[in-house]
mmCIF file of all heavy atoms in Angstrom:
data_model
loop_
_atom_site.group_PDB
_atom_site.id
_atom_site.type_symbol
_atom_site.label_atom_id
_atom_site.label_comp_id
_atom_site.label_asym_id
_atom_site.label_seq_id
_atom_site.Cartn_x
_atom_site.Cartn_y
_atom_site.Cartn_z
ATOM 1 N N ALA A 713 55.162 68.582 83.548
ATOM 2 C CA ALA A 713 54.911 68.514 82.080
ATOM 3 C C ALA A 713 55.086 67.105 81.636
ATOM 4 O O ALA A 713 55.781 66.267 82.241
ATOM 5 C CB ALA A 713 55.940 69.425 81.379
ATOM 6 N N ILE A 785 65.811 60.135 86.066
ATOM 7 C CA ILE A 785 67.127 60.769 85.790
ATOM 8 C C ILE A 785 67.622 61.129 87.197
ATOM 9 O O ILE A 785 66.973 61.869 87.937
ATOM 10 C CB ILE A 785 67.084 61.980 84.864
ATOM 11 C CG1 ILE A 785 66.799 61.513 83.474
ATOM 12 C CG2 ILE A 785 68.239 62.805 84.916
ATOM 13 C CD1 ILE A 785 66.691 62.593 82.492
ATOM 14 N N SER A 787 70.979 62.472 87.423
ATOM 15 C CA SER A 787 71.681 63.711 87.063
ATOM 16 C C SER A 787 71.852 63.806 85.551
ATOM 17 O O SER A 787 72.071 62.728 84.898
ATOM 18 C CB SER A 787 73.030 63.835 87.777
ATOM 19 O OG SER A 787 73.895 62.754 87.295
ATOM 20 N N ALA A 788 71.690 65.037 85.053
ATOM 21 C CA ALA A 788 71.850 65.258 83.596
ATOM 22 C C ALA A 788 71.916 66.729 83.247
ATOM 23 O O ALA A 788 71.479 67.578 84.139
ATOM 24 C CB ALA A 788 70.630 64.633 82.850
ATOM 25 N N PRO A 789 72.399 67.124 82.165
ATOM 26 C CA PRO A 789 72.417 68.500 81.757
ATOM 27 C C PRO A 789 71.141 69.067 81.257
ATOM 28 O O PRO A 789 71.084 69.994 80.392
ATOM 29 C CB PRO A 789 73.536 68.543 80.697
ATOM 30 C CG PRO A 789 73.324 67.212 80.023
ATOM 31 C CD PRO A 789 72.967 66.207 81.147
ATOM 32 N N PHE A 790 70.012 68.471 81.715
ATOM 33 C CA PHE A 790 68.656 68.928 81.194
ATOM 34 C C PHE A 790 68.060 69.902 82.218
ATOM 35 O O PHE A 790 68.220 69.655 83.452
ATOM 36 C CB PHE A 790 67.804 67.727 80.954
ATOM 37 C CG PHE A 790 68.335 66.704 80.060
ATOM 38 C CD1 PHE A 790 68.370 65.350 80.356
ATOM 39 C CD2 PHE A 790 68.799 67.089 78.747
ATOM 40 C CE1 PHE A 790 68.867 64.375 79.480
ATOM 41 C CE2 PHE A 790 69.318 66.079 77.911
ATOM 42 C CZ PHE A 790 69.408 64.808 78.244
ATOM 43 N N PRO A 791 67.279 70.842 81.782
ATOM 44 C CA PRO A 791 66.611 71.772 82.726
ATOM 45 C C PRO A 791 65.307 71.241 83.323
ATOM 46 O O PRO A 791 64.286 71.914 83.241
ATOM 47 C CB PRO A 791 66.404 72.966 81.839
ATOM 48 C CG PRO A 791 66.060 72.447 80.478
ATOM 49 C CD PRO A 791 67.020 71.130 80.424
ATOM 50 N N VAL A 792 65.442 70.050 83.960
ATOM 51 C CA VAL A 792 64.234 69.478 84.519
ATOM 52 C C VAL A 792 64.612 68.748 85.829
ATOM 53 O O VAL A 792 65.752 68.367 86.087
ATOM 54 C CB VAL A 792 63.512 68.457 83.634
ATOM 55 C CG1 VAL A 792 63.107 69.135 82.338
ATOM 56 C CG2 VAL A 792 64.364 67.217 83.273
ATOM 57 N N THR A 793 63.632 68.518 86.677
ATOM 58 C CA THR A 793 63.741 67.676 87.878
ATOM 59 C C THR A 793 62.571 66.674 87.812
ATOM 60 O O THR A 793 61.645 66.798 86.989
ATOM 61 C CB THR A 793 63.698 68.388 89.152
ATOM 62 O OG1 THR A 793 62.454 69.138 89.236
ATOM 63 C CG2 THR A 793 64.846 69.422 89.295
ATOM 64 N N ASP A 794 62.560 65.718 88.699
ATOM 65 C CA ASP A 794 61.507 64.736 88.854
ATOM 66 C C ASP A 794 61.139 64.058 87.498
ATOM 67 O O ASP A 794 60.033 63.711 87.261
ATOM 68 C CB ASP A 794 60.237 65.432 89.397
ATOM 69 C CG ASP A 794 60.435 66.152 90.740
ATOM 70 O OD1 ASP A 794 61.146 65.562 91.544
ATOM 71 O OD2 ASP A 794 59.928 67.246 90.840
ATOM 72 N N TYR A 795 62.163 63.758 86.774
ATOM 73 C CA TYR A 795 62.020 63.117 85.491
ATOM 74 C C TYR A 795 61.715 61.645 85.636
ATOM 75 O O TYR A 795 62.452 60.912 86.326
ATOM 76 C CB TYR A 795 63.259 63.332 84.586
ATOM 77 C CG TYR A 795 63.237 62.640 83.239
ATOM 78 C CD1 TYR A 795 62.765 63.344 82.113
ATOM 79 C CD2 TYR A 795 63.630 61.352 83.085
ATOM 80 C CE1 TYR A 795 62.770 62.786 80.909
ATOM 81 C CE2 TYR A 795 63.535 60.697 81.837
ATOM 82 C CZ TYR A 795 63.139 61.497 80.767
ATOM 83 O OH TYR A 795 63.134 60.855 79.483
ATOM 84 N N SER A 817 57.543 62.302 82.044
ATOM 85 C CA SER A 817 57.037 63.418 82.891
ATOM 86 C C SER A 817 58.149 64.043 83.578
ATOM 87 O O SER A 817 59.135 63.303 83.933
ATOM 88 C CB SER A 817 55.882 62.951 83.838
ATOM 89 O OG SER A 817 56.348 62.010 84.761
ATOM 90 N N PHE A 818 58.051 65.345 83.827
ATOM 91 C CA PHE A 818 59.209 66.048 84.388
ATOM 92 C C PHE A 818 58.660 67.477 84.878
ATOM 93 O O PHE A 818 57.647 67.899 84.398
ATOM 94 C CB PHE A 818 60.323 66.214 83.474
ATOM 95 C CG PHE A 818 59.841 66.496 82.020
ATOM 96 C CD1 PHE A 818 59.614 67.799 81.628
ATOM 97 C CD2 PHE A 818 59.660 65.421 81.164
ATOM 98 C CE1 PHE A 818 59.166 68.066 80.290
ATOM 99 C CE2 PHE A 818 59.139 65.665 79.821
ATOM 100 C CZ PHE A 818 58.954 66.979 79.441
ATOM 101 N N THR A 819 59.509 68.078 85.671
ATOM 102 C CA THR A 819 59.207 69.471 86.123
ATOM 103 C C THR A 819 60.282 70.340 85.545
ATOM 104 O O THR A 819 61.522 70.225 85.926
ATOM 105 C CB THR A 819 59.290 69.540 87.681
ATOM 106 O OG1 THR A 819 58.248 68.644 88.226
ATOM 107 C CG2 THR A 819 58.920 71.006 88.146
ATOM 108 N N PRO A 820 59.938 71.251 84.657
ATOM 109 C CA PRO A 820 60.892 72.222 84.062
ATOM 110 C C PRO A 820 61.503 73.097 85.139
ATOM 111 O O PRO A 820 60.849 73.539 86.148
ATOM 112 C CB PRO A 820 60.128 73.017 83.045
ATOM 113 C CG PRO A 820 58.976 72.092 82.698
ATOM 114 C CD PRO A 820 58.629 71.361 84.017
ATOM 115 N N VAL A 821 62.795 73.404 85.050
ATOM 116 C CA VAL A 821 63.498 74.271 85.928
ATOM 117 C C VAL A 821 64.177 75.347 85.131
ATOM 118 O O VAL A 821 65.060 75.085 84.318
ATOM 119 C CB VAL A 821 64.530 73.506 86.815
ATOM 120 C CG1 VAL A 821 65.336 74.500 87.630
ATOM 121 C CG2 VAL A 821 63.833 72.505 87.645
ATOM 122 N N GLY A 822 63.791 76.654 85.314
ATOM 123 C CA GLY A 822 64.378 77.730 84.595
ATOM 124 C C GLY A 822 64.054 77.904 83.106
ATOM 125 O O GLY A 822 64.576 78.735 82.408
ATOM 126 N N VAL A 823 63.064 77.044 82.642
ATOM 127 C CA VAL A 823 62.605 77.191 81.311
ATOM 128 C C VAL A 823 61.071 76.985 81.297
ATOM 129 O O VAL A 823 60.534 76.414 82.305
ATOM 130 C CB VAL A 823 63.263 76.063 80.304
ATOM 131 C CG1 VAL A 823 64.723 76.286 80.205
ATOM 132 C CG2 VAL A 823 62.931 74.678 80.767
ATOM 133 N N ALA A 824 60.422 77.467 80.230
ATOM 134 C CA ALA A 824 58.998 77.223 80.108
ATOM 135 C C ALA A 824 58.707 75.781 79.885
ATOM 136 O O ALA A 824 59.473 75.035 79.363
ATOM 137 C CB ALA A 824 58.467 78.111 79.012
ATOM 138 N N ASP A 825 57.496 75.376 80.312
ATOM 139 C CA ASP A 825 57.026 73.986 80.070
ATOM 140 C C ASP A 825 57.173 73.574 78.651
ATOM 141 O O ASP A 825 57.706 72.509 78.327
ATOM 142 C CB ASP A 825 55.577 73.853 80.494
ATOM 143 C CG ASP A 825 55.448 73.780 82.022
ATOM 144 O OD1 ASP A 825 56.343 74.094 82.773
ATOM 145 O OD2 ASP A 825 54.280 73.377 82.454
ATOM 146 N N ASP A 826 56.726 74.511 77.697
ATOM 147 C CA ASP A 826 56.727 74.083 76.317
ATOM 148 C C ASP A 826 58.162 73.921 75.840
ATOM 149 O O ASP A 826 58.418 73.038 74.879
ATOM 150 C CB ASP A 826 55.944 75.109 75.408
ATOM 151 C CG ASP A 826 56.464 76.467 75.510
ATOM 152 O OD1 ASP A 826 57.276 76.843 76.382
ATOM 153 O OD2 ASP A 826 55.999 77.245 74.664
ATOM 154 N N GLU A 827 59.129 74.616 76.377
ATOM 155 C CA GLU A 827 60.526 74.428 75.948
ATOM 156 C C GLU A 827 61.066 73.085 76.421
ATOM 157 O O GLU A 827 61.694 72.330 75.624
ATOM 158 C CB GLU A 827 61.471 75.579 76.521
ATOM 159 C CG GLU A 827 62.810 75.551 76.025
ATOM 160 C CD GLU A 827 63.602 76.764 76.582
ATOM 161 O OE1 GLU A 827 62.993 77.749 76.901
ATOM 162 O OE2 GLU A 827 64.877 76.604 76.532
ATOM 163 N N ALA A 828 60.770 72.695 77.686
ATOM 164 C CA ALA A 828 61.192 71.400 78.127
ATOM 165 C C ALA A 828 60.479 70.230 77.412
ATOM 166 O O ALA A 828 61.065 69.285 77.079
ATOM 167 C CB ALA A 828 60.919 71.267 79.648
ATOM 168 N N VAL A 829 59.201 70.478 77.149
ATOM 169 C CA VAL A 829 58.464 69.463 76.356
ATOM 170 C C VAL A 829 59.067 69.331 74.986
ATOM 171 O O VAL A 829 59.295 68.142 74.483
ATOM 172 C CB VAL A 829 56.961 69.799 76.278
ATOM 173 C CG1 VAL A 829 56.235 69.038 75.196
ATOM 174 C CG2 VAL A 829 56.271 69.660 77.644
ATOM 175 N N ALA A 830 59.348 70.417 74.309
ATOM 176 C CA ALA A 830 59.966 70.341 72.991
ATOM 177 C C ALA A 830 61.317 69.604 73.003
ATOM 178 O O ALA A 830 61.663 68.812 72.094
ATOM 179 C CB ALA A 830 60.108 71.743 72.356
ATOM 180 N N LEU A 831 62.087 69.835 74.035
ATOM 181 C CA LEU A 831 63.429 69.167 74.151
ATOM 182 C C LEU A 831 63.233 67.680 74.210
ATOM 183 O O LEU A 831 63.836 66.842 73.434
ATOM 184 C CB LEU A 831 64.128 69.601 75.498
ATOM 185 C CG LEU A 831 65.371 68.779 75.892
ATOM 186 C CD1 LEU A 831 66.474 69.023 74.861
ATOM 187 C CD2 LEU A 831 65.793 69.199 77.305
ATOM 188 N N PHE A 832 62.328 67.148 75.132
ATOM 189 C CA PHE A 832 62.166 65.723 75.242
ATOM 190 C C PHE A 832 61.396 65.087 74.058
ATOM 191 O O PHE A 832 61.633 63.996 73.674
ATOM 192 C CB PHE A 832 61.593 65.314 76.602
ATOM 193 C CG PHE A 832 62.659 65.452 77.659
ATOM 194 C CD1 PHE A 832 62.635 66.615 78.526
ATOM 195 C CD2 PHE A 832 63.619 64.516 77.824
ATOM 196 C CE1 PHE A 832 63.630 66.776 79.488
ATOM 197 C CE2 PHE A 832 64.569 64.727 78.796
ATOM 198 C CZ PHE A 832 64.562 65.806 79.622
ATOM 199 N N ILE A 835 64.005 64.468 71.589
ATOM 200 C CA ILE A 835 64.836 63.390 71.986
ATOM 201 C C ILE A 835 64.077 62.020 71.678
ATOM 202 O O ILE A 835 64.713 61.106 71.092
ATOM 203 C CB ILE A 835 65.241 63.373 73.504
ATOM 204 C CG1 ILE A 835 66.278 64.586 73.681
ATOM 205 C CG2 ILE A 835 65.814 62.089 73.930
ATOM 206 C CD1 ILE A 835 66.583 64.883 75.119
#
Side-chain angles (χ1 to χ4, degrees):
I785 290 180
S787 66
F790 304 129
V792 301
T793 60
D794 304 318
Y795 178 93
S817 62
F818 39 86
T819 302
V821 176
V823 298
D825 284 12
D826 59 347
E827 188 176 337
V829 166
L831 170 68
F832 286 102
I835 289 171

